[in-house]
Amino acid sequence: MRTGRVFFCFFVCYIFCALAVPMGRANIVDSLVLNSAGAGLLYADLQFVSEKEASRYRGLMSLSITDLFAEADTMNRRGEWENALIYYAVIINNYEINPVQQGDLAQRLYAESLCRSGDIYYRRGMYPNAMEYYLKGMRVCDAGNIKDIQANLYKNIGNIYCSYNDFAMGSTYYDDAVRLALEIQDTTLLSRLYYNQAGAYCLGGNIGKAQEAYDKMVAVSDTGSPMDQYSLLMVKGIYPKSVIRLWVDCPLMSCSMLLA
């Protein structure tokens, strides 16, 4: 009962702080998400929450973890990132309060919530925050042997390194992601990884590896997939002569264009 009360108070106070101070909303959300373990310290703010809002939040807290995650993903897809972060943080905090009694599904949604939160921070250009979530998600995936999420986390960490122009480290993480994607036979992820590898290797000066990655991308790409069609057209457009000229002919092209 006490654990549930702490969880509820965290959620109510978190929502209030995110909505009550619009000018500082992003900073408050970022701070509370990253420090969600301190939920028990937020009781004092409950006096500012109306009974109507409190009733609404109690209703939300009655949702299953699956429903909470579905709501978070819906908000994420709509671009309602701050609200999505709140829901993901609730899932993260709930699991961390008592991980021993959580099952495999809860552990998986915990890992997914860490990954999706990191993705939001990545899209906002907040790479240190994104990396924190990705690394935490990696530890969860290692412990739970969750290979599909782990493969995406390797890719995402590689993207961050490439965003800082560290193409050697980015390529290393892409290699680890490819290894897992091959193991779980995820051809969609493989196509994206080979696409990223082609750019990272080329920008890192390893033209042979870039050509090899491009050839692999062509081999596994699903020509009916819009994402794969875009990747192929993107590379072909950048390389009017051959893939070897990628970013060599276009030195001012942003690194972000290689990240899928």
Side-chain angles (χ1 to χ4, degrees):
M1 176 67 74
R2 186 171 182 273
T3 297
R5 188 182 176 199
V6 171
F7 184 32
F8 168 68
C9 290
F10 160 73
F11 187 73
V12 172
C13 294
Y14 193 175
I15 295 285
F16 170 76
C17 290
L19 298 178
V21 192
M23 292 299 293
R25 182 175 180 182
N27 290 336
I28 291 172
V29 169
D30 296 340
S31 174
L32 288 177
V33 170
L34 290 172
N35 297 284
S36 59
L41 302 177
L42 301 176
Y43 278 111
D45 289 330
L46 279 177
Q47 59 183 308
F48 299 108
V49 179
S50 70
E51 180 57 34
K52 181 178 179 181
E53 288 300 302
S55 176
R56 176 192 170 201
Y57 300 139
R58 289 191 192 98
L60 289 175
M61 296 315 302
S62 68
L63 295 175
S64 68
I65 188 173
T66 305
D67 290 337
L68 280 171
F69 185 80
E71 288 289 334
D73 266 5
T74 297
M75 294 174 185
N76 195 358
R77 288 192 298 272
R78 290 174 179 168
E80 300 171 11
W81 292 343
E82 292 176 6
N83 289 330
L85 280 173
I86 291 171
Y87 276 68
Y88 289 134
V90 169
I91 296 169
I92 292 167
N93 189 71
N94 188 37
Y95 186 90
E96 292 177 349
I97 286 174
N98 194 3
V100 177
Q101 295 185 9
Q102 308 285 343
D104 291 343
L105 176 61
Q107 184 182 46
R108 180 177 182 83
L109 293 181
Y110 173 49
E112 284 275 21
S113 296
L114 289 167
C115 183
R116 305 288 172 88
S117 296
D119 291 344
I120 291 174
Y121 283 113
Y122 178 84
R123 289 194 292 269
R124 295 166 70 175
M126 302 171 69
Y127 299 138
N129 292 18
M131 182 68 85
E132 180 175 346
Y133 278 96
Y134 290 155
L135 292 176
K136 195 171 184 178
M138 287 290 292
R139 292 193 291 271
V140 177
C141 291
D142 278 334
N145 196 32
I146 310 173
K147 295 182 179 179
D148 57 331
I149 300 176
Q150 188 172 27
N152 275 287
L153 287 167
Y154 274 128
K155 174 181 72 69
N156 296 345
I157 293 173
N159 288 353
I160 290 178
Y161 276 108
C162 287
S163 295
Y164 284 111
N165 295 325
D166 189 344
F167 302 112
M169 281 299 296
S171 297
T172 298
Y173 277 94
Y174 291 151
D175 289 345
D176 288 333
V178 166
R179 174 179 53 79
L180 283 176
L182 285 169
E183 186 176 339
I184 62 177
Q185 299 182 344
D186 187 338
T187 56
T188 299
L189 178 58
L190 273 174
S191 178
R192 297 179 183 182
L193 286 168
Y194 290 142
Y195 174 69
N196 286 13
Q197 278 186 327
Y201 281 133
C202 187
L203 286 168
N206 195 333
I207 302 303
K209 285 278 192 179
Q211 180 72 63
E212 181 182 339
Y214 172 76
D215 292 340
K216 288 180 178 178
M217 183 189 71
V218 173
V220 302
S221 292
D222 176 8
T223 55
S225 164
M227 179 65 192
D228 288 341
Q229 285 181 352
Y230 169 80
S231 297
L232 289 168
L233 290 172
M234 185 80 169
V235 173
K236 288 178 180 178
I238 294 170
Y239 291 97
K241 296 180 181 179
S242 73
V243 70
I244 296 176
R245 301 304 303 170
L246 180 61
W247 284 282
V248 174
D249 287 339
C250 307
L252 298 180
M253 183 165 292
S254 169
C255 168
S256 64
M257 297 191 73
L258 72 86
L259 306 179

